[in-house]
Amino acid sequence: MARRIAYILLVLFFAVGCESSPTMVIRGTAPTECNGLNAYLVPQPFPKAEQVDSTVIRNGRFEFKVDASQVRMCDITISRKSKVPFQRLLVIVEQGELEAVIDEVSDSRGTPLNDELAEWKRVMSEAGNRADELRAEITLQSDETVIDSLKAEMQRGYQVAGQRTIEIIERNLNPLGGFLYMINERTFDSELRQHLVDLGIEEWKPKREK
């Protein structure tokens, strides 16, 4: 009987020991002009050189396979030797598979938190692009009433984007919400900050290691 119990315990030990840890596979594309250059996965917002992962771009493609046992923010960038413009891509490492596109406008999709992040980036991009259009239009106007109307529209656009940001933070009490809270905290009034603190967002706000 004792041998049987020992055997069962040994089997359980190896079963637990052999369990694979959560991983994320990032499959990306980049301009073919970047072939032979490195793509980097850089921790954010406080990167350390020893934590940066890299891989070589071949045939316009690259791939990362990383430990996802700790959900965390990173961005994907390309070597500064690149002769073509590209946009760094903010992503969140979590278990699953992610499709990433690095180009003048970069994007990703494939996992729940990254889809949330993509929505936030889309909201902010739309607000920024519309604001640029309105500013250009304002420079062509001489009628103060029209100018005031355009400025009011711009302000409403920023308010909508701000509200969407708050909603995304509220439903993401996790590293994603904590990161968005950190980069937007100064724009929040004291009442809103207290509301988010009461929800527990401070627990997820990135902190610089000492």
Side-chain angles (χ1 to χ4, degrees), residues 22-26 41-44 51 53 64-76 89-98 108 111-114 117 174-176:
T23 59
M24 174 177 238
V25 177
I26 302 174
L41 185 66
V42 185
Q44 294 296 332
Q51 296 173 338
D53 197 358
F64 293 100
K65 185 175 182 180
V66 295
D67 176 29
S69 54
Q70 180 184 5
V71 177
R72 59 198 185 277
M73 301 300 303
C74 292
D75 69 19
I76 301 174
L89 177 63
L90 187 66
V91 298
I92 184 161
V93 173
E94 63 176 329
Q95 186 171 12
E97 297 185 3
L98 186 70
S108 66
T111 65
L113 292 181
N114 278 288
L117 179 58
N174 53 45
L176 170 59

Side-chain angles (χ1 to χ4, degrees), residues 21 25 66 71 76 79 81 85 89-90 99 110 126 143 152 172 192-193 208:
S21 60
V25 177
V66 295
V71 177
I76 301 174
S79 169
K81 295 178 181 178
L89 177 63
L90 187 66
E99 296 178 14
E126 288 177 354
D143 188 323
N172 283 283
L192 176 56
R193 283 199 302 272
R208 188 184 295 274

